[in-house]
Structure formats: C-alpha cells, structure tokens
C-alpha cells in the first residue's frame, strides 16, 4: 500500500497491520472458513437492513457490518463449551459462535422457531447450547454475566473460558470496572473484548474520555491489555488465542481493545446526521481495509483461485437467502395463548 494511504489509515486505526501471513497454527482452510463466516455476517446484516426498511422486522436492529473480523477472529480462538456474552450489536457474535441464521431470522421476524420463540428480537439472541449466554440492549450489562460464567468455570474446574464482547461506550459504565477488578483479583478465566468503533450512538468516544486507549486501563486492574487492528481477522485471532490460552491455564483475564470504525449508522434506520461530511470522507479510506475486501485479497495472494474465493462468498450469500426464505415461509407466528409465557419482568403484569 502506498505511504500516504497507510498514513491516513493509521490516523484512524493506529494499530493497523497488513494481512500478510497466516497465524502459525492456522491453515488456508481455516482462512477460507473465516472468509465464509465474514461473508455470512455481512450478508446477514445487509439483508437485515433491507428487511427492516421494508417493515418485515420490527424493533431496533444494530448492524455489525464491517465489524465481522472481530467476532470471527475471536470466536475462532474459542473451544466448544466456552461462553460468550454479547451486546445490542450482537448478530455477528452469535453467527460466529455457530448460531443458525434461519433461527436468528425467525427470531427477528417474531416467529416461534426463533431462538427466543420470537419474543426477544434482535437484541436478545441467546443459545445456551452453543455457549451464547445472551445479548443485551443495556449497554455494559453483558460484562458482569461473562465474569460470573468465568467464576462458575473456575469453581467447577471445568476448563471453560468466557468472553465478553462490549463497545467502547460500555467502558464508562460501572460493570466494566467492577467486573475487571473482580476478574483480576480472582484470576478468572475471562477475556474482555472491547469493540472500539469510536462512536456510541452520536457520542464520539474522544469527547467523553481523557485517555483514548482503552487497553491501557488494564494495567490499573492488574491484567494484560492489548490493542489490535479490528479490521484484521488474523490479528484479532492471535490476540484472543493468547488471552484464551492464558485464561485456560489459570493465569487470569485479559483486556483486548479491537480498534475499528462504525462505518454506517448506529442502527439500520440512523442517517447519522451528527457526523460531518469531512469525517465521512476521511473514514472512506477504511473501505479498502474492511474485512471482506481484505480477506478476499489475502486468499488471492495466498494462491487460492479467484473462482473458488468468489464461490465461498456466493455460497454464504445463498445460505442467508435460504435462511430468510425458511424463516419467512415455513416458520409460525406464536399463538396468542402463549403471549405471557417466557416473559420475565420485575413487576406484575396487569391485563
Ligand atoms: C445503560 C444504557 N445507557 C444508554 C443506552 C442507550 N444506548 C444504546 S446503544 C448506545 C451506544 C453504545 O455504544 P457502544 O457501547 O460503544 O456500542 P456501539 O453501539 O458503538 O457498538 C447507547 C448509549 C442503553 N441502551 N443502555
């Protein structure tokens, strides 16, 4: 890449690193699997945007497009049985951890075959059998449950590791500090993965913090802190793998800051008028290093035939199309008499 362009990228993603080599314990087949997952999440989210705008999906949806390298790289470093907790922007986490897109679309369409019988919607997809303990619309509220899951793993000595995804906005919430402190004090097997996209709705992270590097906070809690290029699936994988190995070996938690950029609106209906034209123009250089483009380039440079690379992407897109078709035409609306089942609330339901 030419120097001027790299400088512009580094201004936005200071830890930007080229994707030249496979991590030593991964094969080309792994890279192809990762590419499939990245394309699957991208297509899922593009379709969510269209379906939401067409009024097929009700409730708010926060798309994960362009963040795919974080979920895919991170989940690739986990083992079966490990746990994750997610956020309001959680579709990508669930897919990367093995959730089925047809059941996710069924959930988004409010159908009973959905992961939460159609009653949770976009922000609450959970599948405990796959280790997906849940997503949440309350910013920062997945961090403590992940820490609790790590405590349970430690007490049960079952060798499981827990990982919490959260945004940069969540780092200024109480559960962040409380959880990191407890996890460090008790050497809990947990990975704290901050998806640093530089915005929290219309609040620019730089405006509300003095120290802009989240990973530096780790030192104050007594754990390692690492910053990685969140558009680079291999760098995310390597950092998370190291943290997971450390956690599994009983050495305690790690805080990872994966820097990327929210390229589009906070949710699928957000025109983000609070961002200036200059900023949007400036960040457009990042489309050259976004996960799909980058992984495609990597595979081609590694000698995978173009026809094969494009087929992987087409397969991912076709699988999403089939998932939508299934959820739309073969799944069912929950019946009215189940309206008050599976609903948990602090108060009394008055009918
Ligand atoms: C406790 C709480 N405060 C405020 C909100 C409103 N809210 C929803 S998403 C969001 C921004 C979160 O930003 P971040 O954690 O960085 O995640 P991102 O949306 O950027 O992925 C806010 C403030 C909320 N849902 N919960």
């Amino acid at each position: 890449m030419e120097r001027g362009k790299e400088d512009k990228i580094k201004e936005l993603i200071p830890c930007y690193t080229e994707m030249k080599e496979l991590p030593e314990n991964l094969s080309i087949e792994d890279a192809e699997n990762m590419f499939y997952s990245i394309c699957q999440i991208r297509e899922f989210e593009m379709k969510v945007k269209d379906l939401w705008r067409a009024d097929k999906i009700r409730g708010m949806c926060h798309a994960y497009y362009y963040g795919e390298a974080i979920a895919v790289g991170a989940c690739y470093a986990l083992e079966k049985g490990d746990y994750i907790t997610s956020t309001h922007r959680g579709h990508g986490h669930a897919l990367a951890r093995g959730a089925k897109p047809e059941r996710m679309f069924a959930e988004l369409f409010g159908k009973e075959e959905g992961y939460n019988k159609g009653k949770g919607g976009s922000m609450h997809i959970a599948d405990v059998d796959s280790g997906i303990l849940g997503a949440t619309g309350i910013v920062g509220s997945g961090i403590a449950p992940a820490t609790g899951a790590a405590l349970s793993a430690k007490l049960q000595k079952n060798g499981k590791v827990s990982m919490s995804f959260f945004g940069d906005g969540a780092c200024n919430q109480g559960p962040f500090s409380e959880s990191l402190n407890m996890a460090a004090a008790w050497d809990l097997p947990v990975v704290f993965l901050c998806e640093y996209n530089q915005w929290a709705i219309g609040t620019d992270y730089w405006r509300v913090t003095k120290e802009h590097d989240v990973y530096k906070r780790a030192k104050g809690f007594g754990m390692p802190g690492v910053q990685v290029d969140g558009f680079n699936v291999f760098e995310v994988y390597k950092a998370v793998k190291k943290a997971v190995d450390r956690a599994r070996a009983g050495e305690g938690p790690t805080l990872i800051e994966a820097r990327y950029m929210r390229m589009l609106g906070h949710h699928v209906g957000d025109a983000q008028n609070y961002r200036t034209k200059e900023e949007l123009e400036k960040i457009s250089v990042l489309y050259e290093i976004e996960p799909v483009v980058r992984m495609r380039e990597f595979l081609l440079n590694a000698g995978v035939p173009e026809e094969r690379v494009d087929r992987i992407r087409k397969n991912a897109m076709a699988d999403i199309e089939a998932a939508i078709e299934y959820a739309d035409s073969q799944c069912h609306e929950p019946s009215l008499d189940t309206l008050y089942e599976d609903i948990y609330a602090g108060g009394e339901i008055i009918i």
Side-chain angles (χ1 to χ4, degrees):
M1 180 179 293
E2 69 221 55
R3 194 63 195 278
K5 199 169 275 175
E6 192 172 329
D7 291 344
K8 283 186 186 165
I9 291 171
K10 284 196 165 155
E11 219 184 294
L12 298 159
I13 313 290
C15 46
Y16 163 73
T17 19
E18 282 190 43
M19 275 182 76
K20 283 194 182 138
E21 284 170 17
L22 273 171
E24 58 186 26
N25 52 339
L26 294 186
S27 64
I28 270 290
E29 202 189 335
D30 290 313
E32 289 182 352
N33 291 340
M34 286 173 152
F35 184 57
Y36 174 89
S37 280
I38 288 170
C39 294
Q40 183 198 43
I41 298 171
R42 175 69 53 86
E43 187 62 9
F44 187 99
E45 297 296 50
M46 289 298 178
K47 287 288 192 275
V48 164
K49 173 167 63 67
D50 295 345
L51 291 163
W52 186 87
R53 290 183 179 177
D55 223 7
K56 283 288 282 187
I57 298 174
R58 274 144 294 164
M60 205 41 80
C61 291
H62 306 82
Y64 193 68
Y65 19 56
Y66 306 106
E68 301 90 351
I70 306 178
V72 172
C75 289
Y76 220 83
L78 295 176
E79 300 288 335
K80 199 166 184 283
D82 289 341
Y83 306 114
I84 64 163
T85 63
S86 177
T87 65
H88 55 286
R89 201 176 296 291
H91 304 160
H93 308 145
L95 287 167
R97 193 68 188 121
K100 293 187 167 51
E102 58 274 24
R103 287 196 62 198
M104 289 177 61
F105 275 114
E107 185 60 36
L108 297 179
F109 291 163
K111 304 280 182 84
E112 68 183 11
E113 289 81 357
Y115 275 110
N116 299 82
K117 302 186 184 171
K119 295 173 185 171
S122 165
M123 281 183 268
H124 303 102
I125 291 175
D127 179 24
V128 176
D129 293 341
S130 320
I132 303 165
L133 300 186
T136 164
I138 308 299
V139 172
S141 68
I143 309 176
T147 309
L151 174 59
S152 116
K154 182 165 175 147
L155 293 175
Q156 294 183 68
K157 298 189 177 61
N158 60 17
K160 292 184 183 185
V161 170
S162 166
M163 180 162 67
S164 179
F165 291 96
F166 53 89
D168 42 60
C171 297
N172 295 332
Q173 292 290 96
F176 172 87
S177 305
E178 296 171 44
S179 302
L180 268 73
N181 181 58
M182 189 177 108
W186 293 352
D187 288 329
L188 299 183
V190 52
V191 180
F192 297 105
L193 181 41
C194 174
E195 302 186 299
Y196 190 134
N197 66 10
Q198 318 196 22
W199 284 89
I201 313 187
T203 303
D204 163 0
Y205 189 71
W206 302 65
R207 187 157 62 82
V208 293
T209 50
K210 189 78 169 176
E211 170 53 70
H212 302 139
D213 291 333
V214 164
Y215 79 98
K216 288 184 183 159
R217 296 197 197 180
K219 192 162 185 247
F221 291 107
M223 69 176 78
V226 194
Q227 187 186 51
V228 286
D229 172 358
F231 284 122
N232 184 333
V233 68
F234 294 155
E235 290 303 307
V236 175
Y237 168 79
K238 284 193 289 187
V240 176
K241 179 81 173 76
K242 195 169 167 195
V244 165
D245 288 350
R246 177 182 140 81
R248 223 183 292 283
E251 291 164 24
T254 304
L255 171 63
I256 299 173
E257 170 195 326
R259 271 284 172 115
Y260 80 117
M261 177 64 74
R262 204 189 79 207
M263 302 300 288
L264 300 174
H266 171 65
H267 56 74
V268 289
D270 176 19
Q272 53 177 1
N273 293 330
Y274 45 82
R275 292 175 94 170
T276 62
K277 259 196 194 141
E278 291 72 32
E279 192 217 341
L280 295 176
E281 170 59 34
K282 194 171 166 185
I283 67 166
S284 64
V285 68
L286 300 176
Y287 284 113
E288 296 191 28
I289 60 154
E290 59 92 345
V292 171
V293 165
R294 219 161 173 197
M295 196 58 167
R296 184 174 186 279
E297 243 170 54
F298 172 83
L299 290 170
L300 295 176
N301 290 339
V304 181
E306 189 167 8
E307 188 267 335
R308 182 176 169 86
V309 176
D310 290 342
R311 189 150 28 88
I312 295 173
R313 181 154 196 203
K314 280 189 191 135
N315 286 346
M317 293 168 87
D319 292 347
I320 291 300
E321 200 63 57
I324 295 171
E325 171 61 23
Y326 163 81
D328 192 30
S329 62
Q330 293 183 50
C331 294
H332 308 87
E333 301 282 344
S335 69
L336 258 188
D337 57 331
T338 65
L339 192 60
Y340 295 109
E341 287 173 13
D342 308 306
I343 304 287
Y344 302 92
E348 203 180 328
I349 297 173
I350 299 165
I351 305 171

